[in-house]
Amino acid sequence: MNKYTEDDLKIELETKEYEYGFYTDIESDTFPNGLNEDIVRALSKKKEEPEWMTEWRLEAYRAWTQMTQPEWANVHYQKPDFQAISYYSAPKKIDANKTLDDVDPELLAMYKKLGISIDEQKMMNNVAMDIVVDSVSVATTFKKTLAEKGIIFCPISEAIKEHPELVKKYLGSVVPQKDNFYAALNSAVFSDGSFCYIPKGVRCPMELSTYFRINQAGTGQFERTLVVADAGSYVSYLEGCTAPSRDENQLHAAVVELIAMDDAEIKYSTVQNWFPGNKEGKGGVYNFVTKRGLCEKNAKISWTQVETGSAVTWKYPSCILKGDNSVGEFYSIAVTNNYQQADTGTKMIHLGKNTKSTIISKGISAGKSQNSYRGLVQIGSRAENARNFSQCDSLLMGNNCGAHTFPYIESKNTTAKIEHEATTSKIGEDQVFYCNQRGIPTEKAIALIVNGFSKEVLNKLPMEFAVEAQKLLEISLEGSVG
Amino acid sequence: MLSIKNLHARVEDKDILRGINLEVKAGEVHAIMGPNGSGKSTLSSVIAGNENYEVTEGNIYLEGEDISEFAPEERAHKGVFLSFQYPVEIPGVSVTNFMKTAINESRKANGLEEMPANEMLKMIREKSELLEIDRKFLSRSLNEGFSGGEKKRNEIFQMAMLEPKLAILDETDSGLDIDALRIVANGVNKLRSEDNAVIVITHYQRLLDYIVPDFVHVLYNGKIVKSGGKELAYELEEKGYDWIKSEN
């Protein structure tokens, strides 16, 4: 009699298709597959880049050819064939001078499906958005309002042309071209992304936001984000990601660099919902991302991430605490279900005196997924009185998933104080029954328990993102207790 | 209110309840006593709909409706409340948030709108005063780090908030010192009315000094072997359960 069992729930979950799994038919201008120096040159030319940029890319490409894919992460997957990927795909109908009214109606329809109608965003959310569809930034809103404060927020391709002095100075200054295999690849072929500069002493009046989305089949997306907060400034930056469902794996290798000068503060929040593959583990996005921030004196960088998507995630947003008294924070929720694999965490590199870092990581595993936290806390020899607090909690749902923690601590200074706490728990039948007995159905009970578990991190997200993140957690985990 | 007919239940392969018959009318308090392993907690779990127990025979009626096949949350929506012997912890979920979710789920199931926030706050204030609960307590994570007494008091607070028709108190006295016992029992007494019924499951007579039952039933080997008025509880206390065991 209306007995909605876990089995029913499971069936519902399995038949539920990825909510954002539609494909928009836009005429695209796509490069032939494969990567070589000519492709890099052609890409750079296509984007009308100056000579120095082309050279910078080639340098990265040459370094990349000498590197091998990293294998130390606790993930298993078929390695991408880098010669089978097209490195440039842009929606064809693009015109730099057009207004929002001229935007391809199909693109607009796609935004609508994503729930990010630009008009709505403009009016209601007080969020300036730079939307990246495949590789080219199609619409940047709020530019004017920002310009009045001297804030630059534009596609990086535009910044390369309009603000070469800034880009030249900071691009690759935190994540060098040769940093790692994927960062080198990105440096060679990044097609677009966002650039943001906050002038001295300016508090950015709104949340800046980029919405990434992979559309074209077989294309890799390599965005490059560079955020520079000049002395005493403040900015909060949001990044959201989705991709259509496809059988083949898509590659996403982004690089994000943050620079917080003296007394500046950057909050960087991500809600990542790339297609995770279907319930048999077919398809899904490979998310190999390098994110790193540099803190000068008294500066602060906070990374907050909610990772619910991607077939494979390899991501360690890090802070280099170079300046004295600088602060690094990392708040993360990583959810894996079905056959998803996530190896994610952070690096806190303490170089300056009195530097402080906090790491709160919440891993939630369900289905047959594997969820790993990997973190490094490094205290340099001159980092007097450095402090770190790390807390890694894992929540397991069912008996077929795994949670792993790999904390690394390296201290070269005896005044350092490092604390690490870790817990692993399981959603128990008794917890669910307790909620049921109070009138709360199983699905809602799980959402409640998961939200409670993730609360410390959810609280760090800007309001409008927190609501979305909570919904995502519910969608990702529906029916996965067993 | 509650009518149980020839109820048989088992967990895994073990038969635990072997033909329970029980009639509870609105306004009554029934005590169910019995030695360890007699099936007291199983009975409360089965009434609440815990799916770890399999009902092999018999029926449970709530206000004339057969609820034997209902999911636990459906029974809750119809007014069944169980105060757990061992309340579980739910980290990160405050008592207030938990209660808000529970109340609104029940309202939704009964075709009502969500309770407005001001009404909810008013209710929380009233009920916490009734049970002498410090409201700071309500923003703590549900049962996390609660003392035994706090857990039980929290159960009764939830009962007050949900206003059930039938409340089952499973060993609510276990782990309580005498002061906590008095507060909890006073709370239950304040919540008693002509429209609801209470089943008190207990091992000892002492709780019944505070919550005075109309009827006492003795459970042994999965059956009710003796029923009587409150004096039966004193008799049991005096003679011990061996008396029952030797008779059966």
Side-chain angles (χ1 to χ4, degrees), chain A residues 272-443:
Chain A
Q272 184 264 111
N273 185 29
W274 297 120
F275 180 53
N278 67 11
K279 66 177 186 339
E280 281 96 29
K282 200 162 189 264
V285 170
Y286 289 163
N287 193 28
F288 302 130
V289 175
T290 306
K291 292 183 164 179
R292 197 174 300 153
L294 177 77
C295 286
E296 298 286 357
K297 227 186 252 176
N298 305 321
K300 178 175 171 183
I301 288 178
S302 298
W303 297 101
T304 305
Q305 58 172 26
V306 178
E307 303 276 321
T308 64
S310 295
V312 179
T313 300
W314 180 98
K315 180 180 168 188
Y316 316 91
S318 306
C319 297
I320 300 170
L321 304 172
K322 182 179 162 217
D324 292 351
N325 312 315
S326 59
V327 177
E329 293 175 339
F330 174 74
Y331 302 101
S332 168
I333 302 169
V335 181
T336 53
N337 198 355
N338 296 321
Y339 285 88
Q340 281 176 274
Q341 306 175 67
D343 192 301
T344 184
T346 184
K347 283 191 266 184
M348 292 291 176
I349 313 294
H350 293 251
L351 301 175
K353 293 188 181 76
N354 305 316
T355 46
K356 269 206 295 199
S357 64
T358 305
I359 298 170
I360 311 279
S361 162
K362 305 275 182 179
I364 301 160
S365 345
K368 295 188 164 71
S369 67
Q370 298 295 328
N371 202 324
S372 303
Y373 167 81
R374 186 182 303 276
L376 168 68
V377 176
Q378 196 177 57
I379 314 284
S381 55
R382 287 181 304 135
E384 295 288 317
N385 299 316
R387 276 210 234 152
N388 163 266
F389 174 75
S390 302
Q391 187 187 327
C392 303
D393 299 324
S394 306
L395 187 67
L396 298 169
M397 301 170 77
N399 297 318
N400 301 316
C401 54
H404 317 270
T405 306
F406 305 97
Y408 303 88
I409 295 170
E410 295 168 13
S411 179
K412 291 187 184 137
N413 190 307
T414 51
T415 61
K417 273 190 198 152
I418 301 167
E419 287 175 76
H420 181 94
E421 288 177 10
T423 66
T424 302
S425 52
K426 216 181 136 174
I427 292 192
E429 277 177 33
D430 52 343
Q431 281 176 315
V432 174
F433 178 65
Y434 188 87
C435 294
N436 288 161
Q437 208 299 307
R438 299 300 188 248
I440 303 168
T442 302
E443 211 166 288

Side-chain angles (χ1 to χ4, degrees), chain A residues 77-332:
Chain A
Y77 57 94
Q78 175 119 40
K79 294 218 173 85
D81 177 358
F82 294 97
Q83 296 304 336
I85 294 171
S86 163
Y87 289 86
Y88 184 79
S89 164
K92 227 175 198 169
K93 298 175 186 167
I94 195 151
D95 172 0
N97 298 320
K98 74 177 168 214
T99 68
L100 279 180
D101 300 338
D102 310 326
V103 171
D104 186 331
E106 287 216 37
L107 269 180
L108 289 179
M110 182 163 98
Y111 298 150
K112 239 182 212 149
K113 279 193 209 168
L114 285 168
I116 50 160
S117 134
I118 299 171
D119 290 341
E120 245 176 71
Q121 291 290 345
K122 260 177 137 175
M123 287 186 289
M124 298 171 64
N125 285 349
N126 200 30
V127 171
M129 296 194 80
D130 184 10
I131 299 168
V132 177
V133 173
D134 283 32
S135 305
V136 173
S137 176
V138 263
T140 304
T141 54
F142 271 104
K143 232 176 186 173
K144 252 191 187 161
T145 327
L146 296 172
E148 283 162 14
K149 295 223 168 213
I151 295 169
I152 304 167
F153 181 45
C154 65
I156 197 154
S157 51
E158 193 179 311
I160 290 166
K161 285 177 242 171
E162 315 259 319
H163 309 283
E165 68 301 336
L166 285 171
V167 177
K168 226 174 176 175
K169 185 168 174 194
Y170 294 110
L171 190 71
S173 68
V174 188
V175 179
Q177 288 137 295
K178 299 166 196 170
D179 188 79
N180 67 67
F181 183 83
Y182 298 111
L185 178 63
N186 174 287
S187 301
V189 300
F190 75 84
S191 34
D192 219 328
S194 298
F195 174 77
C196 170
Y197 172 80
I198 316 290
K200 270 184 194 145
V202 169
R203 200 181 159 85
C204 184
M206 59 186 76
E207 315 267 358
L208 300 182
S209 170
T210 311
Y211 218 104
F212 290 115
R213 177 175 166 80
I214 301 177
N215 195 42
Q216 202 67 19
T219 58
Q221 190 167 10
F222 306 93
E223 339 83 41
R224 186 96 196 182
T225 302
L226 178 58
V227 179
V228 182
D230 213 329
S233 68
Y234 167 86
V235 64
S236 168
Y237 194 97
L238 317 176
E239 175 197 79
C241 329
T242 57
S245 352
R246 292 182 193 287
D247 280 351
E248 74 268 37
N249 296 100
Q250 284 174 291
L251 177 64
H252 175 251
V255 171
V256 176
E257 292 177 278
L258 310 183
I259 294 127
M261 317 266 237
D262 292 359
D263 304 297
E265 180 177 350
I266 302 175
K267 266 185 85 159
Y268 196 100
S269 313
T270 306
V271 172
Q272 184 264 111
N273 185 29
W274 297 120
F275 180 53
N278 67 11
K279 66 177 186 339
E280 281 96 29
K282 200 162 189 264
V285 170
Y286 289 163
N287 193 28
F288 302 130
V289 175
T290 306
K291 292 183 164 179
R292 197 174 300 153
L294 177 77
C295 286
E296 298 286 357
K297 227 186 252 176
N298 305 321
K300 178 175 171 183
I301 288 178
S302 298
W303 297 101
T304 305
Q305 58 172 26
V306 178
E307 303 276 321
T308 64
S310 295
V312 179
T313 300
W314 180 98
K315 180 180 168 188
Y316 316 91
S318 306
C319 297
I320 300 170
L321 304 172
K322 182 179 162 217
D324 292 351
N325 312 315
S326 59
V327 177
E329 293 175 339
F330 174 74
Y331 302 101
S332 168

